[in-house]
PDB file of all heavy atoms in Angstrom:
ATOM      1  N   PHE J   1     -91.440  65.494 -94.761  1.00  0.00           N
ATOM      2  CA  PHE J   1     -92.365  64.365 -94.693  1.00  0.00           C
ATOM      3  C   PHE J   1     -92.894  64.132 -96.101  1.00  0.00           C
ATOM      4  O   PHE J   1     -93.328  65.068 -96.763  1.00  0.00           O
ATOM      5  CB  PHE J   1     -93.527  64.686 -93.753  1.00  0.00           C
ATOM      6  CG  PHE J   1     -94.681  63.733 -93.847  1.00  0.00           C
ATOM      7  CD1 PHE J   1     -94.620  62.489 -93.255  1.00  0.00           C
ATOM      8  CD2 PHE J   1     -95.827  64.077 -94.544  1.00  0.00           C
ATOM      9  CE1 PHE J   1     -95.684  61.603 -93.344  1.00  0.00           C
ATOM     10  CE2 PHE J   1     -96.895  63.207 -94.636  1.00  0.00           C
ATOM     11  CZ  PHE J   1     -96.820  61.960 -94.031  1.00  0.00           C
ATOM     12  N   THR J   2     -92.841  62.888 -96.575  1.00  0.00           N
ATOM     13  CA  THR J   2     -93.377  62.527 -97.884  1.00  0.00           C
ATOM     14  C   THR J   2     -94.099  61.198 -97.755  1.00  0.00           C
ATOM     15  O   THR J   2     -93.553  60.254 -97.177  1.00  0.00           O
ATOM     16  CB  THR J   2     -92.263  62.395 -98.937  1.00  0.00           C
ATOM     17  OG1 THR J   2     -91.523  63.611 -98.993  1.00  0.00           O
ATOM     18  CG2 THR J   2     -92.837  62.097-100.315  1.00  0.00           C
ATOM     19  N   MET J   3     -95.316  61.143 -98.304  1.00  0.00           N
ATOM     20  CA  MET J   3     -96.068  59.892 -98.259  1.00  0.00           C
ATOM     21  C   MET J   3     -97.143  59.902 -99.337  1.00  0.00           C
ATOM     22  O   MET J   3     -97.686  60.954 -99.666  1.00  0.00           O
ATOM     23  CB  MET J   3     -96.710  59.716 -96.890  1.00  0.00           C
ATOM     24  CG  MET J   3     -97.324  58.378 -96.649  1.00  0.00           C
ATOM     25  SD  MET J   3     -97.786  58.242 -94.907  1.00  0.00           S
ATOM     26  CE  MET J   3     -97.760  56.481 -94.747  1.00  0.00           C
ATOM     27  N   ARG J   4     -97.436  58.724 -99.867  1.00  0.00           N
ATOM     28  CA  ARG J   4     -98.541  58.559-100.818  1.00  0.00           C
ATOM     29  C   ARG J   4     -99.778  58.098-100.059  1.00  0.00           C
ATOM     30  O   ARG J   4     -99.685  57.343 -99.095  1.00  0.00           O
ATOM     31  CB  ARG J   4     -98.190  57.530-101.876  1.00  0.00           C
ATOM     32  CG  ARG J   4     -97.182  58.059-102.848  1.00  0.00           C
ATOM     33  CD  ARG J   4     -96.985  57.105-103.974  1.00  0.00           C
ATOM     34  NE  ARG J   4     -96.015  57.688-104.882  1.00  0.00           N
ATOM     35  CZ  ARG J   4     -95.646  57.122-105.988  1.00  0.00           C
ATOM     36  NH1 ARG J   4     -96.165  55.962-106.344  1.00  0.00           N
ATOM     37  NH2 ARG J   4     -94.772  57.709-106.769  1.00  0.00           N
ATOM     38  N   PHE J   5    -100.928  58.552-100.559  1.00  0.00           N
ATOM     39  CA  PHE J   5    -102.205  58.228 -99.943  1.00  0.00           C
ATOM     40  C   PHE J   5    -103.185  57.788-101.017  1.00  0.00           C
ATOM     41  O   PHE J   5    -103.103  58.239-102.164  1.00  0.00           O
ATOM     42  CB  PHE J   5    -102.777  59.452 -99.220  1.00  0.00           C
ATOM     43  CG  PHE J   5    -101.917  59.939 -98.090  1.00  0.00           C
ATOM     44  CD1 PHE J   5    -100.939  60.893 -98.315  1.00  0.00           C
ATOM     45  CD2 PHE J   5    -102.072  59.424 -96.819  1.00  0.00           C
ATOM     46  CE1 PHE J   5    -100.136  61.337 -97.281  1.00  0.00           C
ATOM     47  CE2 PHE J   5    -101.266  59.856 -95.771  1.00  0.00           C
ATOM     48  CZ  PHE J   5    -100.300  60.815 -96.006  1.00  0.00           C
ATOM     49  N   SER J   6    -104.134  56.946-100.622  1.00  0.00           N
ATOM     50  CA  SER J   6    -105.176  56.545-101.569  1.00  0.00           C
ATOM     51  C   SER J   6    -105.997  57.780-101.928  1.00  0.00           C
ATOM     52  O   SER J   6    -106.241  58.650-101.095  1.00  0.00           O
ATOM     53  CB  SER J   6    -106.074  55.465-100.969  1.00  0.00           C
ATOM     54  OG  SER J   6    -106.757  55.954 -99.840  1.00  0.00           O
ATOM     55  N   SER J   7    -106.395  57.855-103.153  1.00  0.00           N
ATOM     56  CA  SER J   7    -107.125  59.025-103.650  1.00  0.00           C
ATOM     57  C   SER J   7    -108.609  58.895-103.283  1.00  0.00           C
ATOM     58  O   SER J   7    -109.485  58.780-104.139  1.00  0.00           O
ATOM     59  CB  SER J   7    -106.931  59.145-105.164  1.00  0.00           C
ATOM     60  OG  SER J   7    -107.406  60.387-105.617  1.00  0.00           O
ATOM     61  N   THR J   8    -108.849  58.915-101.975  1.00  0.00           N
ATOM     62  CA  THR J   8    -110.190  58.782-101.408  1.00  0.00           C
ATOM     63  C   THR J   8    -110.351  59.803-100.291  1.00  0.00           C
ATOM     64  O   THR J   8    -109.349  60.337 -99.789  1.00  0.00           O
ATOM     65  CB  THR J   8    -110.383  57.375-100.797  1.00  0.00           C
ATOM     66  OG1 THR J   8    -109.445  57.210 -99.709  1.00  0.00           O
ATOM     67  CG2 THR J   8    -110.171  56.273-101.832  1.00  0.00           C
ATOM     68  N   PRO J   9    -111.581  60.081 -99.868  1.00  0.00           N
ATOM     69  CA  PRO J   9    -111.749  60.968 -98.711  1.00  0.00           C
ATOM     70  C   PRO J   9    -110.999  60.465 -97.478  1.00  0.00           C
ATOM     71  O   PRO J   9    -110.438  61.255 -96.721  1.00  0.00           O
ATOM     72  CB  PRO J   9    -113.267  60.973 -98.488  1.00  0.00           C
ATOM     73  CG  PRO J   9    -113.836  60.727 -99.851  1.00  0.00           C
ATOM     74  CD  PRO J   9    -112.878  59.750-100.491  1.00  0.00           C
ATOM     75  N   ARG J  10    -110.953  59.165 -97.294  1.00  0.00           N
ATOM     76  CA  ARG J  10    -110.215  58.610 -96.158  1.00  0.00           C
ATOM     77  C   ARG J  10    -108.718  58.910 -96.278  1.00  0.00           C
ATOM     78  O   ARG J  10    -108.051  59.238 -95.297  1.00  0.00           O
ATOM     79  CB  ARG J  10    -110.455  57.107 -96.074  1.00  0.00           C
ATOM     80  CG  ARG J  10    -109.830  56.475 -94.884  1.00  0.00           C
ATOM     81  CD  ARG J  10    -110.167  55.016 -94.795  1.00  0.00           C
ATOM     82  NE  ARG J  10    -109.647  54.468 -93.564  1.00  0.00           N
ATOM     83  CZ  ARG J  10    -109.727  53.209 -93.238  1.00  0.00           C
ATOM     84  NH1 ARG J  10    -110.317  52.352 -94.053  1.00  0.00           N
ATOM     85  NH2 ARG J  10    -109.219  52.787 -92.112  1.00  0.00           N
ATOM     86  N   GLY J  11    -108.179  58.790 -97.493  1.00  0.00           N
ATOM     87  CA  GLY J  11    -106.774  59.128 -97.713  1.00  0.00           C
ATOM     88  C   GLY J  11    -106.490  60.596 -97.422  1.00  0.00           C
ATOM     89  O   GLY J  11    -105.464  60.932 -96.835  1.00  0.00           O
ATOM     90  N   ALA J  12    -107.409  61.488 -97.820  1.00  0.00           N
ATOM     91  CA  ALA J  12    -107.241  62.924 -97.553  1.00  0.00           C
ATOM     92  C   ALA J  12    -107.271  63.199 -96.051  1.00  0.00           C
ATOM     93  O   ALA J  12    -106.485  64.011 -95.544  1.00  0.00           O
ATOM     94  CB  ALA J  12    -108.322  63.719 -98.273  1.00  0.00           C
ATOM     95  N   ARG J  13    -108.166  62.529 -95.316  1.00  0.00           N
ATOM     96  CA  ARG J  13    -108.231  62.700 -93.862  1.00  0.00           C
ATOM     97  C   ARG J  13    -106.941  62.237 -93.200  1.00  0.00           C
ATOM     98  O   ARG J  13    -106.406  62.912 -92.309  1.00  0.00           O
ATOM     99  CB  ARG J  13    -109.404  61.914 -93.275  1.00  0.00           C
ATOM    100  CG  ARG J  13    -110.692  62.669 -93.211  1.00  0.00           C
ATOM    101  CD  ARG J  13    -111.743  61.970 -92.354  1.00  0.00           C
ATOM    102  NE  ARG J  13    -111.896  60.544 -92.610  1.00  0.00           N
ATOM    103  CZ  ARG J  13    -112.655  60.023 -93.570  1.00  0.00           C
ATOM    104  NH1 ARG J  13    -113.344  60.812 -94.372  1.00  0.00           N
ATOM    105  NH2 ARG J  13    -112.729  58.716 -93.721  1.00  0.00           N
ATOM    106  N   LEU J  14    -106.433  61.083 -93.626  1.00  0.00           N
ATOM    107  CA  LEU J  14    -105.188  60.571 -93.055  1.00  0.00           C
ATOM    108  C   LEU J  14    -104.030  61.522 -93.350  1.00  0.00           C
ATOM    109  O   LEU J  14    -103.200  61.797 -92.475  1.00  0.00           O
ATOM    110  CB  LEU J  14    -104.885  59.178 -93.602  1.00  0.00           C
ATOM    111  CG  LEU J  14    -103.604  58.525 -93.093  1.00  0.00           C
ATOM    112  CD1 LEU J  14    -103.599  58.411 -91.574  1.00  0.00           C
ATOM    113  CD2 LEU J  14    -103.423  57.156 -93.743  1.00  0.00           C
ATOM    114  N   ALA J  15    -103.971  62.056 -94.556  1.00  0.00           N
ATOM    115  CA  ALA J  15    -102.917  63.017 -94.907  1.00  0.00           C
ATOM    116  C   ALA J  15    -102.982  64.248 -94.001  1.00  0.00           C
ATOM    117  O   ALA J  15    -101.953  64.734 -93.529  1.00  0.00           O
ATOM    118  CB  ALA J  15    -103.045  63.423 -96.376  1.00  0.00           C
ATOM    119  N   ARG J  16    -104.192  64.734 -93.751  1.00  0.00           N
ATOM    120  CA  ARG J  16    -104.347  65.901 -92.862  1.00  0.00           C
ATOM    121  C   ARG J  16    -103.881  65.569 -91.456  1.00  0.00           C
ATOM    122  O   ARG J  16    -103.142  66.331 -90.828  1.00  0.00           O
ATOM    123  CB  ARG J  16    -105.794  66.379 -92.841  1.00  0.00           C
ATOM    124  CG  ARG J  16    -106.002  67.568 -91.898  1.00  0.00           C
ATOM    125  CD  ARG J  16    -107.435  68.059 -91.881  1.00  0.00           C
ATOM    126  NE  ARG J  16    -108.412  67.040 -91.602  1.00  0.00           N
ATOM    127  CZ  ARG J  16    -108.765  66.642 -90.369  1.00  0.00           C
ATOM    128  NH1 ARG J  16    -108.204  67.182 -89.318  1.00  0.00           N
ATOM    129  NH2 ARG J  16    -109.680  65.707 -90.215  1.00  0.00           N
ATOM    130  N   ARG J  17    -104.284  64.417 -90.946  1.00  0.00           N
ATOM    131  CA  ARG J  17    -103.891  64.024 -89.578  1.00  0.00           C
ATOM    132  C   ARG J  17    -102.371  63.885 -89.443  1.00  0.00           C
ATOM    133  O   ARG J  17    -101.789  64.345 -88.456  1.00  0.00           O
ATOM    134  CB  ARG J  17    -104.550  62.707 -89.186  1.00  0.00           C
ATOM    135  CG  ARG J  17    -106.029  62.754 -89.158  1.00  0.00           C
ATOM    136  CD  ARG J  17    -106.520  63.024 -87.793  1.00  0.00           C
ATOM    137  NE  ARG J  17    -107.973  62.854 -87.806  1.00  0.00           N
ATOM    138  CZ  ARG J  17    -108.765  63.472 -87.000  1.00  0.00           C
ATOM    139  NH1 ARG J  17    -108.273  64.288 -86.110  1.00  0.00           N
ATOM    140  NH2 ARG J  17    -110.053  63.285 -87.061  1.00  0.00           N
ATOM    141  N   LEU J  18    -101.740  63.262 -90.418  1.00  0.00           N
ATOM    142  CA  LEU J  18    -100.288  63.113 -90.358  1.00  0.00           C
ATOM    143  C   LEU J  18     -99.589  64.463 -90.509  1.00  0.00           C
ATOM    144  O   LEU J  18     -98.553  64.699 -89.885  1.00  0.00           O
ATOM    145  CB  LEU J  18     -99.808  62.116 -91.409  1.00  0.00           C
ATOM    146  CG  LEU J  18    -100.168  60.654 -91.109  1.00  0.00           C
ATOM    147  CD1 LEU J  18     -99.802  59.758 -92.285  1.00  0.00           C
ATOM    148  CD2 LEU J  18     -99.488  60.175 -89.840  1.00  0.00           C
ATOM    149  N   SER J  19    -100.157  65.355 -91.310  1.00  0.00           N
ATOM    150  CA  SER J  19     -99.604  66.709 -91.440  1.00  0.00           C
ATOM    151  C   SER J  19     -99.672  67.436 -90.100  1.00  0.00           C
ATOM    152  O   SER J  19     -98.711  68.098 -89.696  1.00  0.00           O
ATOM    153  CB  SER J  19    -100.367  67.502 -92.504  1.00  0.00           C
ATOM    154  OG  SER J  19    -100.226  66.904 -93.766  1.00  0.00           O
ATOM    155  N   GLU J  20    -100.798  67.301 -89.409  1.00  0.00           N
ATOM    156  CA  GLU J  20    -100.939  67.922 -88.083  1.00  0.00           C
ATOM    157  C   GLU J  20     -99.862  67.405 -87.129  1.00  0.00           C
ATOM    158  O   GLU J  20     -99.226  68.181 -86.410  1.00  0.00           O
ATOM    159  CB  GLU J  20    -102.316  67.608 -87.484  1.00  0.00           C
ATOM    160  CG  GLU J  20    -103.456  68.300 -88.148  1.00  0.00           C
ATOM    161  CD  GLU J  20    -104.796  67.867 -87.576  1.00  0.00           C
ATOM    162  OE1 GLU J  20    -104.977  66.661 -87.284  1.00  0.00           O
ATOM    163  OE2 GLU J  20    -105.663  68.738 -87.410  1.00  0.00           O
ATOM    164  N   HIS J  21     -99.688  66.104 -87.125  1.00  0.00           N
ATOM    165  CA  HIS J  21     -98.701  65.494 -86.231  1.00  0.00           C
ATOM    166  C   HIS J  21     -97.289  65.981 -86.559  1.00  0.00           C
ATOM    167  O   HIS J  21     -96.515  66.322 -85.652  1.00  0.00           O
ATOM    168  CB  HIS J  21     -98.780  63.973 -86.331  1.00  0.00           C
ATOM    169  CG  HIS J  21     -97.720  63.284 -85.547  1.00  0.00           C
ATOM    170  ND1 HIS J  21     -97.742  63.209 -84.171  1.00  0.00           N
ATOM    171  CD2 HIS J  21     -96.580  62.661 -85.942  1.00  0.00           C
ATOM    172  CE1 HIS J  21     -96.665  62.567 -83.750  1.00  0.00           C
ATOM    173  NE2 HIS J  21     -95.946  62.215 -84.812  1.00  0.00           N
ATOM    174  N   CYS J  22     -96.942  66.001 -87.846  1.00  0.00           N
ATOM    175  CA  CYS J  22     -95.609  66.465 -88.249  1.00  0.00           C
ATOM    176  C   CYS J  22     -95.367  67.899 -87.796  1.00  0.00           C
ATOM    177  O   CYS J  22     -94.305  68.212 -87.252  1.00  0.00           O
ATOM    178  CB  CYS J  22     -95.436  66.365 -89.758  1.00  0.00           C
ATOM    179  SG  CYS J  22     -95.237  64.683 -90.356  1.00  0.00           S
ATOM    180  N   LEU J  23     -96.335  68.765 -88.025  1.00  0.00           N
ATOM    181  CA  LEU J  23     -96.169  70.163 -87.632  1.00  0.00           C
ATOM    182  C   LEU J  23     -95.874  70.285 -86.141  1.00  0.00           C
ATOM    183  O   LEU J  23     -94.973  71.019 -85.726  1.00  0.00           O
ATOM    184  CB  LEU J  23     -97.415  70.971 -87.989  1.00  0.00           C
ATOM    185  CG  LEU J  23     -97.630  71.228 -89.467  1.00  0.00           C
ATOM    186  CD1 LEU J  23     -99.026  71.793 -89.709  1.00  0.00           C
ATOM    187  CD2 LEU J  23     -96.566  72.167 -90.007  1.00  0.00           C
ATOM    188  N   ASP J  24     -96.635  69.567 -85.329  1.00  0.00           N
ATOM    189  CA  ASP J  24     -96.410  69.616 -83.883  1.00  0.00           C
ATOM    190  C   ASP J  24     -95.013  69.107 -83.537  1.00  0.00           C
ATOM    191  O   ASP J  24     -94.294  69.730 -82.750  1.00  0.00           O
ATOM    192  CB  ASP J  24     -97.480  68.796 -83.158  1.00  0.00           C
ATOM    193  CG  ASP J  24     -97.361  68.909 -81.650  1.00  0.00           C
ATOM    194  OD1 ASP J  24     -97.514  70.034 -81.126  1.00  0.00           O
ATOM    195  OD2 ASP J  24     -97.104  67.877 -81.005  1.00  0.00           O
ATOM    196  N   ALA J  25     -94.602  68.000 -84.156  1.00  0.00           N
ATOM    197  CA  ALA J  25     -93.273  67.443 -83.893  1.00  0.00           C
ATOM    198  C   ALA J  25     -92.161  68.381 -84.348  1.00  0.00           C
ATOM    199  O   ALA J  25     -91.061  68.359 -83.786  1.00  0.00           O
ATOM    200  CB  ALA J  25     -93.134  66.090 -84.583  1.00  0.00           C
ATOM    201  N   TRP J  26     -92.445  69.206 -85.348  1.00  0.00           N
ATOM    202  CA  TRP J  26     -91.446  70.131 -85.886  1.00  0.00           C
ATOM    203  C   TRP J  26     -91.448  71.492 -85.193  1.00  0.00           C
ATOM    204  O   TRP J  26     -90.790  72.428 -85.636  1.00  0.00           O
ATOM    205  CB  TRP J  26     -91.672  70.344 -87.379  1.00  0.00           C
ATOM    206  CG  TRP J  26     -91.506  69.123 -88.212  1.00  0.00           C
ATOM    207  CD1 TRP J  26     -90.876  67.954 -87.881  1.00  0.00           C
ATOM    208  CD2 TRP J  26     -91.994  68.937 -89.543  1.00  0.00           C
ATOM    209  NE1 TRP J  26     -90.944  67.062 -88.922  1.00  0.00           N
ATOM    210  CE2 TRP J  26     -91.622  67.634 -89.952  1.00  0.00           C
ATOM    211  CE3 TRP J  26     -92.710  69.738 -90.420  1.00  0.00           C
ATOM    212  CZ2 TRP J  26     -91.937  67.130 -91.209  1.00  0.00           C
ATOM    213  CZ3 TRP J  26     -93.027  69.228 -91.669  1.00  0.00           C
ATOM    214  CH2 TRP J  26     -92.638  67.939 -92.055  1.00  0.00           C
ATOM    215  N   GLY J  27     -92.213  71.642 -84.135  1.00  0.00           N
ATOM    216  CA  GLY J  27     -92.190  72.888 -83.376  1.00  0.00           C
ATOM    217  C   GLY J  27     -93.275  73.878 -83.719  1.00  0.00           C
ATOM    218  O   GLY J  27     -93.213  75.041 -83.327  1.00  0.00           O
ATOM    219  N   VAL J  28     -94.292  73.453 -84.432  1.00  0.00           N
ATOM    220  CA  VAL J  28     -95.465  74.289 -84.706  1.00  0.00           C
ATOM    221  C   VAL J  28     -96.608  73.631 -83.925  1.00  0.00           C
ATOM    222  O   VAL J  28     -97.268  72.725 -84.430  1.00  0.00           O
ATOM    223  CB  VAL J  28     -95.790  74.373 -86.217  1.00  0.00           C
ATOM    224  CG1 VAL J  28     -96.960  75.304 -86.469  1.00  0.00           C
ATOM    225  CG2 VAL J  28     -94.572  74.814 -87.012  1.00  0.00           C
ATOM    226  N   PRO J  29     -96.825  74.055 -82.673  1.00  0.00           N
ATOM    227  CA  PRO J  29     -97.718  73.319 -81.778  1.00  0.00           C
ATOM    228  C   PRO J  29     -99.186  73.321 -82.201  1.00  0.00           C
ATOM    229  O   PRO J  29     -99.669  74.243 -82.854  1.00  0.00           O
ATOM    230  CB  PRO J  29     -97.545  74.016 -80.428  1.00  0.00           C
ATOM    231  CG  PRO J  29     -96.913  75.320 -80.723  1.00  0.00           C
ATOM    232  CD  PRO J  29     -96.219  75.210 -82.044  1.00  0.00           C
ATOM    233  N   TYR J  30     -99.887  72.254 -81.782  1.00  0.00           N
ATOM    234  CA  TYR J  30    -101.291  72.053 -82.123  1.00  0.00           C
ATOM    235  C   TYR J  30    -102.170  73.271 -81.848  1.00  0.00           C
ATOM    236  O   TYR J  30    -103.059  73.573 -82.620  1.00  0.00           O
ATOM    237  CB  TYR J  30    -101.868  70.869 -81.342  1.00  0.00           C
ATOM    238  CG  TYR J  30    -101.532  69.522 -81.917  1.00  0.00           C
ATOM    239  CD1 TYR J  30    -100.657  68.664 -81.256  1.00  0.00           C
ATOM    240  CD2 TYR J  30    -102.099  69.088 -83.106  1.00  0.00           C
ATOM    241  CE1 TYR J  30    -100.354  67.411 -81.773  1.00  0.00           C
ATOM    242  CE2 TYR J  30    -101.804  67.842 -83.636  1.00  0.00           C
ATOM    243  CZ  TYR J  30    -100.934  67.016 -82.962  1.00  0.00           C
ATOM    244  OH  TYR J  30    -100.641  65.779 -83.481  1.00  0.00           O
TER     245      TYR J  30
END
């Protein structure tokens, strides 16, 4: 997974949320 995010607290939150989703989809459950 690769993505650019705005360098803001909101961008950091979105990056964390998408990382969580990717991990679950890749077999590392929530």
Side-chain angles (χ1 to χ4, degrees):
F1 167 77
T2 304
M3 189 171 204
R4 287 187 179 182
F5 298 91
S6 63
S7 191
T8 63
R10 185 176 185 183
R13 271 192 313 276
L14 180 57
R16 178 179 54 84
R17 298 265 188 208
L18 289 173
S19 297
E20 289 176 320
H21 175 73
C22 287
L23 289 169
D24 185 63
W26 297 342
V28 183
Y30 280 110

